[in-house]
Amino acid sequence: MPNRLAKETSPYLQQHAENPVDWYPWGEEALGEAKRTGKPILLSVGYSACHWCHVMAHESFEDPGIAKVMNDLFVNIKVDREERPDIDQIYQVAQAMLTQRNGGWPLTMFLTPEQLPFFGGTYFPNTPRYGMPGFGELLQRVRHFYDEHPDDIRAQGAQVVDALARTAPKGSAIERAQFSADPLDEAADYLRSAFDREHGGFSGAPKFPHPDTLELLLRRHAAIGEPEALELATFTLRKMALGGLYDQVGGGFSRYSVDAEWAIPHFEKMLYDNAWLLRLYADAWSITRDPLFERVCAETAAWAMREMQSPGGGYYSSLDADSEGEEGKFYVWTPEEVRALLSADEFRIAASVFGLDRPANFENHHWHLVVAKTGAEAAPALGLDEKTARALLDSAREKLFRAREHRVRPGRDEKILTSWNALMISGMAHAGRVFARKDWIASARGALDFVRRELWKDGRLLATAKDGHAHLDAYLDDHAYLLAALLEMLQAEFDARDLAWAGELGALLRDEFHDPVAGGFFFTSHDHEPLIHRPKPGPDNATPSGNAVAALALNRLSFLTGETRLAEIAAGTIGVFWAQLERQPAAYGTLLAALEEQLTPPRTIIVTGPGAQLGPWRGLLDAAYLPTSIVLFIAPQSAPLPPPLAKPASGTVNAWVCEGVTCLPPIAATRQLQEKLQLPRIASSLVPATAPGSPP
């Protein structure tokens, strides 16, 4: 008999609807049942693209014997960490406190009916191995301990709650006038010391992209002209793009690499990674004009529109790592498979470029495609000129793509999350502006329209939607990311309605999430469901910090609207995290960007005039790397504009360059503007003439 998960919006929860486990979604019914019966809660947190979540489900949750033990001894609650990041955040930290081990998914936590954690871990096997008991035996041990030691459990739970409270940033007397650039300098010093000079990145295996770190380095190069910062970032971006982290056949990035060489990924593809990396590669191209970065942007945007955008406009959440029950099966090849699909000449160049002439790199019998050599490197040994090699490679990749489309595809999580959609709207709008791709901007507009239509209800934002049903109160990230996305859309195509919506979101952040006493923003709104802890997160993780994005976006919004209170709130947010910024600045890449724009206010460039005459001005500004500038092209319109944007109209184009609140006289010629902004700033000498920067 199906349990209570069948009607949930989360595909992850729906995957467990036929389990023999009597699952509940998190909510009043489950929590009330625990209090009524006195049973402890077994909380299981995961997401649909999670490989080990599937393993534990098949081993334990589909096993009738284990399910009976779960049902007899516990109230079982299943949570999608993507829909309920509030719950996931709390219990990931609690798990680390209780076990002194890193967390992850699946997260398996045992709670009192009052939601206090007393034991936990991540994946547990169904039979004894890895030094752990089988899950069924573990369940009985946990319940026995719960029954026999209630006082110890209550005392430990209280200690965990106290420890969670201590993780919140402490209010600070640091004011804007006391800010310095020291954390920016110290973060750059740390990244130089941690850099992997052979493979790029800043750690060993497993290796994550960390786009916040790379973005910090690009911004530093722009701010002080530091060549090494640019080289660290672009070297890493090239290594990622030429490795197996990037899908060499279909575009898009996997979540992380299991090795230090970026060769073998954990094959799940997440919307948020690709959103941030799309924007980052577009920025790297703006600086270097490296054709590899342009190709990555084009293919990643095409992947997002082809595989991740719903008919209604919103972007889906993720693609699974598994297909037909095997991780990576959709993506890997054998040389024989490839040879059968290609001509002899295509195979020769493809085998050399993609490493098919080398030993298998995936589980000893399959090949995951990496760029072992570029086409320019491989061509001479094969007796080919570079142009011919490139044409053969293009046709080979096209044939491989068409053949792969007939395979059984990985599962797709089709819920539409406000926060992740906002990230992709930002990425697509930004890259569309840089590359003058109206189709990418239209894709971003379609997703923004979906959010406005389906997830914005009566002046309130909702967190998730699927199959026509939207629900769950939105979190800090949803509001902050969407505000930032609107600021990107305003630069791609100015619409006064977007500016008005941005103002509403700014007010919600101020009124519903801001801590008026200590400063900063809570992850949940003031009227959110009470939980055992209310986080105020500051560091970047796989997605940017909501506090940092709010501080960055609200400060920028204040210069567009004249609402100075927003700038004060943004500065206060940095003040709250100042002690952490001083201790560990490299963990706060996005907050460092916000700090940079407090030390030197963002520049606003307003270009007004007839729409038909704006083209040359767009050509000058859109592809330039101006990370601390807001560039708006405003054609004549009837909607009233706030005073900072309401410039005098004329029959010709004029540009106003405003540094903070001080604006220069209007500029009437593109050459004058180019000289004022010192454009173009293209580090063409940093683009290698041969392999590393060239597309394969």
Side-chain angles (χ1 to χ4, degrees):
M1 179 179 177
N3 54 48
R4 299 166 184 79
L5 304 184
K7 294 183 179 180
E8 291 294 309
T9 54
S10 161
Y12 174 67
L13 267 58
Q14 291 172 357
Q15 289 168 5
H16 293 270
E18 298 295 331
N19 290 170
V21 177
D22 186 19
W23 289 116
Y24 290 80
W26 183 279
E28 291 182 5
E29 183 183 7
L31 300 175
E33 178 68 8
K35 289 180 179 179
R36 185 185 69 79
T37 62
K39 287 182 178 181
I41 294 167
L42 193 165
L43 174 66
S44 177
V45 183
Y47 60 104
S48 69
C50 166
H51 172 72
W52 286 101
C53 298
H54 299 325
V55 173
M56 191 167 178
H58 295 321
E59 289 180 348
S60 295
F61 304 149
E62 295 172 7
D63 181 281
I66 291 178
K68 184 177 189 308
V69 176
M70 293 173 66
N71 295 338
D72 289 346
L73 302 184
F74 300 93
V75 173
N76 303 291
I77 301 179
K78 177 62 74 173
V79 164
D80 183 339
R81 64 105 173 177
E82 296 168 358
E83 286 196 340
R84 294 302 305 260
D86 52 338
I87 295 169
D88 182 57
Q89 281 186 51
I90 291 169
Y91 292 108
Q92 289 285 352
V93 175
Q95 190 274 155
M97 290 175 173
L98 290 171
T99 67
Q100 300 300 301
R101 295 179 180 176
N102 292 332
W105 301 278
L107 177 68
T108 308
M109 293 297 293
F110 296 90
L111 319 178
T112 70
E114 295 75 32
Q115 306 171 35
L116 300 176
F118 63 91
F119 182 74
T122 52
Y123 163 78
F124 290 103
N126 61 333
T127 58
R129 59 185 187 275
Y130 311 130
M132 293 185 285
F135 191 52
E137 179 187 351
L138 177 75
L139 294 171
Q140 295 182 56
R141 288 188 191 179
V142 169
R143 179 58 194 267
H144 178 75
F145 183 83
Y146 174 81
D147 291 338
E148 294 297 317
H149 302 278
D151 294 339
D152 292 342
I153 285 174
R154 280 194 294 271
Q156 179 181 266
Q159 291 173 354
V160 170
V161 171
D162 289 343
L164 287 168
R166 290 195 296 272
T167 65
K170 298 298 182 285
S172 164
I174 293 291
E175 303 289 342
R176 184 192 285 113
Q178 299 173 274
F179 294 162
S180 76
D182 291 348
L184 291 159
D185 297 335
E186 290 164 12
D189 290 343
Y190 170 80
L191 295 174
R192 279 192 293 270
S193 68
F195 186 64
D196 180 345
R197 296 188 179 274
E198 184 178 0
H199 304 296
F202 304 90
S203 71
K207 189 166 269 184
F208 289 81
H210 292 302
D212 59 308
T213 297
L214 300 174
E215 193 165 72
L216 170 65
L217 291 168
L218 293 184
R219 289 175 66 107
R220 184 168 182 83
H221 169 72
I224 65 173
E226 184 179 311
E228 187 179 15
L230 177 61
E231 185 55 35
L232 299 186
T234 55
F235 182 83
T236 300
L237 290 168
R238 290 185 191 108
K239 288 291 189 179
M240 286 164 47
L242 297 174
L245 184 77
Y246 184 68
D247 182 352
Q248 301 295 336
V249 172
F253 289 86
S254 295
R255 193 161 73 93
Y256 66 90
S257 171
V258 301
D259 55 75
E261 294 80 31
W262 305 108
I264 304 301
H266 187 42
F267 285 90
E268 64 196 32
K269 286 183 180 179
M270 313 301 292
L271 185 70
Y272 59 76
D273 287 317
N274 287 278
W276 204 345
L277 289 169
L278 177 59
R279 187 181 77 196
L280 186 61
Y281 274 90
D283 283 341
W285 178 86
S286 293
I287 302 168
T288 66
R289 298 305 199 261
D290 187 328
L292 174 61
F293 299 159
E294 182 176 12
R295 178 172 71 84
V296 166
C297 287
E299 293 173 356
T300 301
W303 166 80
M305 292 188 292
R306 181 183 69 243
E307 299 190 27
M308 303 303 287
Q309 192 154 27
S310 71
Y315 297 109
Y316 299 132
S317 294
S318 63
L319 297 181
D320 207 329
D322 300 3
S323 55
E324 299 183 82
E326 295 182 29
E327 184 177 6
K329 185 173 182 179
F330 181 77
Y331 298 99
V332 299
W333 304 86
T334 65
E336 292 73 23
E337 285 178 297
V338 176
R339 190 190 304 273
L341 293 168
L342 306 182
S343 72
D345 284 343
E346 289 169 340
F347 179 75
R348 285 199 306 144
I349 188 70
S352 181
V353 167
F354 293 126
L356 296 168
D357 56 358
R358 301 183 180 192
N361 63 1
F362 184 65
E363 297 184 348
N364 298 317
H365 57 271
H366 282 97
W367 281 253
H368 180 52
L369 302 188
V370 300
V371 179
K373 299 177 182 177
T374 65
E377 288 177 318
L382 300 174
L384 299 170
D385 62 79
E386 188 174 344
K387 182 178 179 181
T388 301
R390 188 177 302 280
L392 288 169
L393 267 177
D394 288 344
S395 63
R397 290 175 76 238
E398 177 61 27
K399 288 179 180 179
L400 293 176
F401 175 77
R402 289 203 304 267
R404 200 177 75 175
E405 287 292 281
H406 293 288
R407 295 178 174 179
V408 176
R409 301 187 64 83
R412 181 170 64 190
D413 187 326
E414 295 189 353
K415 69 175 177 292
I416 295 172
L417 297 168
T418 299
S419 58
W420 296 6
N421 267 254
L423 290 174
M424 184 54 85
I425 291 165
S426 291
M428 199 71 81
H430 184 77
R433 179 163 61 93
V434 168
F435 291 104
R437 289 292 299 263
K438 293 183 179 180
D439 54 335
W440 301 357
I441 296 171
S443 173
R445 173 61 66 187
L448 187 63
D449 288 346
F450 178 93
V451 172
R452 194 193 305 258
R453 184 176 66 249
E454 303 294 337
L455 290 155
W456 178 248
K457 303 293 184 183
D458 301 320
R460 298 280 294 194
L461 195 60
L462 300 175
T464 184
K466 186 175 182 290
D467 300 330
H469 176 52
H471 71 137
L472 299 179
D473 292 336
Y475 308 100
L476 169 62
D477 290 359
D478 299 290
H479 291 78
Y481 295 177
L482 186 56
L483 173 56
L486 285 165
L487 297 182
E488 280 291 351
M489 282 301 302
L490 285 165
Q491 295 179 81
E493 53 178 28
F494 187 87
D495 187 327
R497 292 173 299 176
D498 292 339
L499 183 61
W501 194 11
E504 291 182 79
L505 288 169
L508 282 172
L509 282 166
R510 179 195 65 209
D511 297 339
E512 300 295 331
F513 293 88
H514 181 243
D515 182 345
V517 177
F521 295 90
F522 293 109
F523 187 73
T524 54
S525 63
H526 298 323
D527 59 358
H528 190 77
E529 166 196 2
L531 300 170
I532 64 168
H533 177 56
R534 194 179 179 198
K536 192 184 288 184
D540 293 312
N541 289 300
T543 54
S545 157
N547 265 282
V549 174
L552 189 63
L554 286 173
N555 190 53
R556 290 184 163 204
L557 182 64
S558 74
F559 287 100
L560 302 186
T561 63
E563 294 285 341
T564 57
R565 174 63 180 144
L566 300 180
E568 294 168 3
I569 290 172
T573 300
I574 296 171
V576 167
F577 291 98
W578 189 258
Q580 288 92 325
L581 276 178
E582 289 188 308
R583 283 198 305 269
Q584 198 178 5
Y588 292 80
T590 306
L591 198 63
L592 289 177
L595 170 62
E596 184 182 12
E597 296 191 15
Q598 290 290 334
L599 296 172
T600 303
R603 177 170 53 195
T604 309
I605 304 168
I606 304 162
V607 185
T608 65
Q613 297 177 25
L614 295 178
W617 299 79
R618 275 202 173 277
L620 174 67
L621 292 171
D622 279 348
Y625 184 57
L626 299 167
T628 59
S629 295
I630 310 161
V631 182
L632 301 175
F633 294 87
I634 304 178
Q637 53 186 282
S638 58
L641 296 173
L645 303 184
K647 304 303 180 185
S650 69
T652 60
V653 177
N654 286 287
W656 279 262
V657 176
C658 304
E659 306 282 355
V661 296
T662 304
C663 296
L664 298 175
I667 297 171
T670 55
R671 182 174 295 279
Q672 279 182 277
L673 184 60
Q674 184 176 17
E675 291 173 355
K676 168 60 185 171
L677 301 177
Q678 297 180 319
L679 299 176
R681 297 181 63 175
I682 304 169
S684 57
S685 63
L686 292 169
V687 181
T690 55
S694 305

